[in-house]
């Protein structure tokens, strides 16, 4: 399980995929995944397709990522959330901070 990171060929998108449980055990891996985004101001896409669960520390990590990246990225999207994960994002009002698809 864990975190993977992949830039598109044109460096305009950075896809970070979370597999398994998204919790405090992934804090270092997740931070490393969004560090060094480069100068291209990519769109950051967090792919939650294989995320089974997320807790309050994961929500905090997403907020910290948003603060840390600021204007160095074009935007941040959360995509492919399973119904249980999407419900947590909705309850936490993350649709006000992120684009959720």
């Amino acid at each position: 399980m864990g975190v993977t990171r992949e830039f598109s060929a044109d460096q305009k998108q950075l896809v970070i995929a979370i597999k398994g449980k998204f919790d405090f055990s992934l804090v270092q891996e997740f931070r490393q995944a969004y560090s060094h985004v480069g100068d291209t101001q990519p769109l950051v896409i967090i792919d939650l397709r294989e995320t089974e669960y997320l807790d309050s520390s994961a929500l905090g990590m997403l907020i910290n990522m948003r603060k840390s990246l600021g204007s160095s990225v074009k935007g941040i999207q959360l995509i492919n959330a399973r119904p249980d994960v999407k419900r947590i994002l909705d309850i936490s009002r993350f649709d006000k901070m992120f684009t959720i698809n």
Side-chain angles (χ1 to χ4, degrees):
M1 302 304 158
V3 179
T4 59
R5 157 192 166 123
E6 184 177 339
F7 269 103
S8 61
D10 62 6
Q11 302 288 300
K12 292 186 178 181
Q13 290 187 342
L14 170 61
V15 178
I16 300 171
I18 312 295
K19 297 179 182 170
K21 292 184 179 181
F22 189 9
D23 59 19
F24 190 73
S25 67
L26 295 180
V27 68
Q28 291 301 324
E29 236 181 308
F30 186 69
R31 279 187 192 149
Q32 289 173 350
Y34 68 78
S35 65
H36 311 295
V37 294
D39 298 327
T40 61
Q41 287 191 308
L43 173 65
V44 176
I45 299 171
I46 308 299
D47 189 345
L48 301 171
R49 176 186 334 258
E50 296 185 57
T51 306
E52 299 167 0
Y53 165 83
L54 59 89
D55 66 6
S56 61
S57 63
L59 298 175
M61 286 187 269
L62 290 168
I63 292 169
N64 285 338
M65 175 191 64
R66 184 172 175 260
K67 288 179 185 176
S68 175
L69 293 175
S71 62
S72 67
V73 298
K74 182 180 269 186
I76 300 170
Q77 293 182 0
L78 308 179
I79 66 168
N80 300 322
R82 293 178 181 188
D84 290 345
V85 170
K86 175 96 168 58
R87 190 168 21 261
I88 293 169
L89 295 171
D90 289 343
I91 289 169
S92 303
R93 301 180 57 104
F94 267 52
D95 60 323
K96 304 294 182 200
M97 295 179 272
F98 299 95
T99 301
I100 300 175
N101 295 323

